[in-house]
Amino acid sequence: YERFATALSAFLTDEFGSKINLKAEVNKTGESGAFEVTVGGKLIHSKLTMGHGKCQSDEELDNIIDNINKIIA
């Protein structure tokens, strides 16, 4: 899980900078955790509370990017 959260955090930060807020929590084994993306105070991706995955597919990433762009446009 940790590598997915790290990669997604880096990508989204490079693309959107301070326009988004990221929160990643990984358990001690690095096998599970929670990753959340918030834009303009609106939670758009959460593994923990919204049942989203760890963003392993292009479809999941595209959905996050689309939602960010809708809010910051």
Side-chain angles (χ1 to χ4, degrees):
Y1 172 79
E2 186 172 10
R3 68 184 166 106
F4 294 106
T6 301
L8 183 57
S9 292
F11 174 79
L12 292 175
T13 298
D14 285 347
E15 289 293 312
F16 299 103
S18 64
K19 295 176 183 176
I20 61 172
N21 295 313
L22 305 173
K23 179 181 177 184
E25 295 178 8
V26 180
N27 71 9
K28 291 180 182 178
T29 65
E31 295 172 2
S32 184
F35 184 80
E36 296 182 331
V37 179
T38 304
V39 181
K42 181 176 180 177
L43 183 64
I44 63 165
H45 179 88
S46 175
K47 181 181 174 232
L48 186 61
T49 62
M50 299 173 89
H52 295 139
K54 49 188 169 180
C55 197
Q56 292 178 278
S57 71
D58 288 343
E59 182 179 346
E60 288 176 300
L61 180 58
D62 289 345
N63 188 42
I64 292 171
I65 292 170
D66 288 346
N67 282 316
I68 292 171
N69 284 323
K70 286 176 189 174
I71 293 170
I72 65 173

